[in-house]
Amino acid sequence: MIISTKVRMEISGLHHIVILAVITSCDMSATCPSGCFCDEGQEDHLMRVTCEGKDSIPQMKNVQSINMSANSLSVIHGKSVEKTSTLKLLDLSFNNINMIEIDALGSDVVPNLLMLNLSHNHLTSVPKNMTSSLQYVRLSSNDIEIVHLSDLSHLINVIHVYLEHNKLREIIPVGQEDENSGDCLEKLEILSFRNNFIEKIDKTIWKCVNGVTYLSFANNRIQTLKQDAFKGLRGLRYLDLTGNRIKTIHPKTFKHLWDLKFLSLSGNYIEDIPDELPMTEWFDISYNRITEVPEKKKASLYPQEVFLFGQNPLNCGCEMLWLKELFDTREYQLKFLDVEADKFIPTCSTPNHLHGDTWDVLANEAFGCNEPLSGAANEDEDDNLLWRLKDISVRVTEIGDTYLKVEWDSVNIGVPTKEKHVIVFNIHKFGRKKHRTSVSVHPQVGRYVLKALSPATGYIICVTVVSEKLHEPRIAYSSDNCLEIVTRETTVTEVFWMWEMLLNPTFYLSVITLSVLVLYFNVW
C-alpha cells in the first residue's frame, strides 16, 4: 500500500517529535532533576531533559516539554504533573500506566499542552477530561476495548488522533445525552483505528468528526460495508480498509466521497469490483478473491488513475480480454510508481494451461477469443475514444504528441428551453488531479484542439455539458464521463535534424576547422 507523501510526512514527523529527547525551558534558578540528563542552552536557558528509571514525573517549573518515555510510571494522579501554562509536549510512552485520574491532564493543570503521547502502556479506556488545547493525541498500543467518542469530543483543537494496536471492538458515538454533545472535532484531520478488532462501521460514528481527511480501519475484522458507512465524510481523501474480512459492499458505499484520492481494499474477501466508485488517484483491490470482471464494470474501474489488481485468482478467459487491454495501456505506469510488481501486474489462476502466467508477458490471443467482427472491433475501439453524454457524443479524431483533436456534431443543446450551453473539458495528468485545467467550448463550433500537452504522457480527460449561465462554466467538473488517453511520443525525422544542424553555428565552425586541417595535411 502506498500512502500519499503529505500524510506520510505528517505521521512520521509527529512520531519523531514525540520520541526525541525533549527540550525544556527553565528559569535561572532551575536545576536538572535527579536521575535526568540535561543539556543547557544559552540565552533563554533551554535544557534537553531525558529521565531514566523513574516511577514518577519530576516536578519542574516553566517547562516546555517533558520526556518520560521508557520509565516505570504506572499511575498518573492529580499531582503527578505540576500545574504549568508553559508545557507543550508530554511524552509518557513505553511505561506501565494503567490508570489516569480524571482531570490529571486537564485544562486546569496543563492549559496549553499540544502533544500527548500515551502509546505503549496498559490503559483500558481513553483518559477523561484531557485538556482541550491538545492537537496531537497518541493512544496506540494499549488495552483499550471500547472508545466513547464523547471522551474526545471536547478536544476542539485536536488534529491527529491515533488509536492503533489496541483491543478495540466498539466505537460508541456522541449521543444527545452526552454533556459535551455540543462540541465537535471540527479540526480533526487524521483518525486511525489500525490493528484492532472492529467488526462494523456505523454511520453515527461520524456525527462530530465529519471533517476527517485521513481515515484508517486497516487490519480489523470488518465484513460488510453498508450504504451509509461513511455518510457525512465528504472531505475524506484517504481511506484505508486493508486487511479486513470485507466481502459485501453496498453499491453506493463510496459514491458520495467526491474528494477521495486514495482507496485501499487490499487483502479482503471481495469477489467483485465495487460499483459507483469516485475517480481516485490510487485504487488498490489487490489480494482479494476476484475471478472475473464483466465489461459492465468498466464504468467503475476505468476512471481510476492507478488501480492495483494483482494477486487475485483471475480466470483468464475471453470475457476478461477487455481488462487485459486496459492493463496494457497502463503498464507504463509501473515505471513511475513505488509499488510491488505483484500488486500491479495481474496473474492468471485459471485455466490450468495459463496458471501462474502474468499479464505483462501474456499475449491477448491467449485469452481464447474468436476473431471479432470488424464492426464490433471498430465499435470497441471507438468506445475507447468516445465520450457519450446525454445530449451529445464527443469523439477523439487524432492523438498527437502535444495535442488532441476532438469533434462532435454541431447541435443546439437545450433548444426547447432556449438555454445556451457549453462543453467543458477538464484535463489533468494521471496522478495530478489537483493540477486540473479546464476549457469551455460552444457546441456549435463542432471541433476543438486541446493543446500544450506533454508527449508520451497519460491524461485523464473528463467532458461535461453545463449551462452558459454559470458564473464560471470552466469550474464545472464531473467524473462520470472520463477517458484516459496517452499522447504519442515525439518523433524526430532526418529532415528535422538537418534543419537543426544548418541553424546551429557550431556546424559551420566544425566545417571550417575540418577544411583547415585537410588543407594543412595536403600541403605537407
Side-chain angles (χ1 to χ4, degrees):
M1 180 190 66
I2 301 299
I3 303 179
S4 65
T5 304
K6 179 180 178 183
V7 173
R8 257 193 306 192
M9 289 177 65
E10 288 177 341
I11 298 176
S12 177
L14 173 59
H15 177 67
H16 288 293
I17 287 173
V18 172
I19 67 172
L20 286 174
V22 184
I23 298 174
T24 64
S25 173
C26 307
D27 56 28
M28 291 291 292
S29 61
T31 59
C32 185
S34 175
C36 299
F37 301 94
C38 307
D39 296 329
E40 292 189 3
Q42 297 178 355
E43 295 180 359
D44 52 3
H45 297 277
L46 293 177
M47 296 173 60
R48 188 180 300 271
V49 177
T50 303
C51 298
E52 297 180 356
K54 293 284 186 179
D55 57 6
S56 62
I57 303 174
Q59 298 293 303
M60 293 176 280
K61 295 181 179 180
N62 300 324
V63 178
Q64 288 185 352
S65 306
I66 299 176
N67 182 3
M68 294 297 300
S69 179
N71 279 273
S72 303
L73 306 180
S74 58
V75 177
I76 306 298
H77 53 74
K79 295 183 180 181
S80 292
V81 180
E82 184 169 341
K83 292 184 179 182
T84 174
S85 61
T86 59
L87 188 62
K88 303 293 184 183
L89 184 151
L90 180 59
D91 185 357
L92 302 174
S93 62
F94 291 94
N95 279 280
N96 298 312
I97 300 172
N98 53 50
M99 187 181 74
I100 298 178
E101 293 183 359
I102 296 178
D103 295 325
L105 300 173
S107 298
D108 292 338
V109 180
V110 282
N112 296 309
L113 188 66
L114 301 179
M115 301 182 184
L116 175 62
N117 188 357
L118 287 165
S119 64
H120 297 274
N121 280 285
H122 299 292
L123 294 172
T124 57
S125 62
V126 174
K128 293 183 178 297
N129 296 341
M130 291 183 289
T131 178
S132 60
S133 61
L134 282 171
Q135 295 182 2
Y136 304 94
V137 179
R138 187 178 288 274
L139 291 163
S140 304
S141 299
N142 277 279
D143 299 322
I144 301 173
E145 296 186 6
I146 298 176
V147 168
H148 293 262
L149 290 183
S150 57
D151 293 334
L152 296 169
S153 62
H154 67 287
L155 302 179
I156 57 176
N157 295 299
V158 74
I159 301 174
H160 298 179
V161 174
Y162 300 94
L163 283 155
E164 304 168 345
H165 294 276
N166 276 279
K167 299 177 181 179
L168 281 177
R169 299 181 181 276
E170 187 175 4
I171 304 172
I172 299 179
V174 176
Q176 297 295 332
E177 70 280 1
D178 294 307
E179 295 180 1
N180 297 323
S181 60
D183 297 328
C184 280
L185 309 179
E186 296 180 354
K187 297 182 180 180
L188 184 62
E189 297 177 358
I190 295 179
L191 180 59
S192 181
F193 296 106
R194 291 177 63 91
N195 295 90
N196 280 287
F197 304 110
I198 299 169
E199 296 182 356
K200 64 179 181 178
I201 301 176
D202 194 313
K203 65 176 182 178
T204 58
I205 295 174
W206 316 122
K207 178 180 178 181
C208 280
V209 292
N210 52 18
V212 170
T213 58
Y214 173 106
L215 179 63
S216 177
F217 280 95
N219 302 319
N220 277 274
R221 298 180 179 180
I222 301 167
Q223 300 180 31
T224 301
L225 294 177
K226 297 181 179 179
Q227 177 179 353
D228 51 9
F230 305 103
K231 184 178 181 180
L233 299 179
R234 294 188 178 275
L236 192 62
R237 297 179 183 178
Y238 181 106
L239 178 58
D240 189 358
L241 295 164
T242 303
N244 279 275
R245 302 174 183 178
I246 299 171
K247 184 176 182 180
T248 305
I249 301 177
H250 191 279
K252 297 184 178 180
T253 296
F254 306 110
K255 182 179 180 180
H256 65 283
L257 302 178
W258 300 115
D259 291 333
L260 198 62
K261 294 183 177 181
F262 177 100
L263 173 61
S264 178
L265 293 167
S266 179
N268 281 282
Y269 303 157
I270 299 170
E271 298 178 355
D272 196 5
I273 299 291
D275 292 316
E276 300 194 49
L277 291 170
M279 185 174 69
T280 65
E281 295 179 6
W282 192 279
F283 174 53
D284 188 353
I285 198 166
S286 60
Y287 290 94
N288 274 279
R289 299 181 177 181
I290 300 172
T291 57
E292 294 181 357
V293 182
E295 194 165 358
K296 66 180 181 181
K297 291 289 184 178
K298 185 175 183 178
S300 292
L301 191 58
Y302 198 86
Q304 312 311 319
E305 299 192 17
V306 175
F307 65 88
L308 306 181
F309 197 67
Q311 299 303 308
N312 277 282
L314 301 178
N315 176 31
C316 296
C318 185
E319 61 279 354
M320 290 287 282
L321 181 58
W322 75 271
L323 187 56
K324 167 64 164 59
E325 292 175 342
L326 176 57
F327 168 79
D328 290 343
T329 65
R330 297 190 173 191
E331 189 178 351
Y332 74 95
Q333 295 178 353
L334 189 57
K335 296 186 295 184
F336 306 102
L337 301 176
D338 182 16
V339 64
E340 299 173 6
D342 288 348
K343 291 174 70 73
F344 187 90
I345 302 174
T347 303
C348 296
S349 181
T350 55
N352 290 335
H353 69 281
L354 295 179
H355 180 78
D357 289 347
T358 56
W359 284 15
D360 58 329
V361 297
L362 200 61
N364 291 355
E365 290 75 14
F367 282 69
C369 297
N370 296 323
E371 288 295 328
L373 297 175
S374 58
N378 292 333
E379 183 178 352
D380 291 341
E381 184 177 354
D382 289 343
D383 283 345
N384 293 331
L385 300 174
L386 181 68
W387 293 275
R388 298 183 184 274
L389 282 68
K390 179 180 179 182
D391 299 312
I392 193 173
S393 293
V394 182
R395 57 190 173 275
V396 177
T397 59
E398 183 179 346
I399 300 175
D401 53 352
T402 61
Y403 66 91
L404 191 72
K405 292 183 179 180
V406 294
E407 291 183 359
W408 58 92
D409 296 330
S410 298
V411 294
N412 296 318
I413 302 174
V415 169
T417 61
K418 296 183 179 181
E419 183 178 1
K420 294 184 178 180
H421 291 72
V422 293
I423 301 175
V424 179
F425 295 88
N426 286 283
I427 311 163
H428 67 273
K429 293 181 181 179
F430 117 83
R432 300 286 183 86
K433 190 175 180 180
K434 274 189 175 180
H435 305 286
R436 185 175 70 241
T437 59
S438 299
V439 178
S440 56
V441 185
H442 285 277
Q444 290 75 17
V445 175
R447 65 183 62 186
Y448 193 77
V449 179
L450 303 172
K451 301 178 180 179
L453 306 180
S454 299
T457 302
Y459 283 89
I460 305 297
I461 303 177
C462 304
V463 181
T464 186
V465 176
V466 299
S467 172
E468 194 178 37
K469 291 182 179 180
L470 287 178
H471 182 64
E472 283 289 343
R474 290 189 181 189
I475 66 173
Y477 176 73
S478 172
S479 60
D480 294 338
N481 291 286
C482 300
L483 296 179
E484 178 177 351
I485 296 176
V486 181
T487 54
R488 302 188 185 279
E489 293 187 11
T490 301
T491 57
V492 182
T493 63
E494 294 180 4
V495 176
F496 176 81
W497 276 109
M498 182 64 72
W499 179 251
E500 286 289 305
M501 184 173 62
L502 292 175
L503 293 179
N504 193 338
T506 306
F507 169 73
Y508 297 100
L509 181 60
S510 301
V511 171
I512 295 171
T513 303
L514 182 60
S515 299
V516 171
L517 290 174
V518 171
L519 180 61
Y520 175 79
F521 284 107
N522 285 337
V523 171
W524 283 96

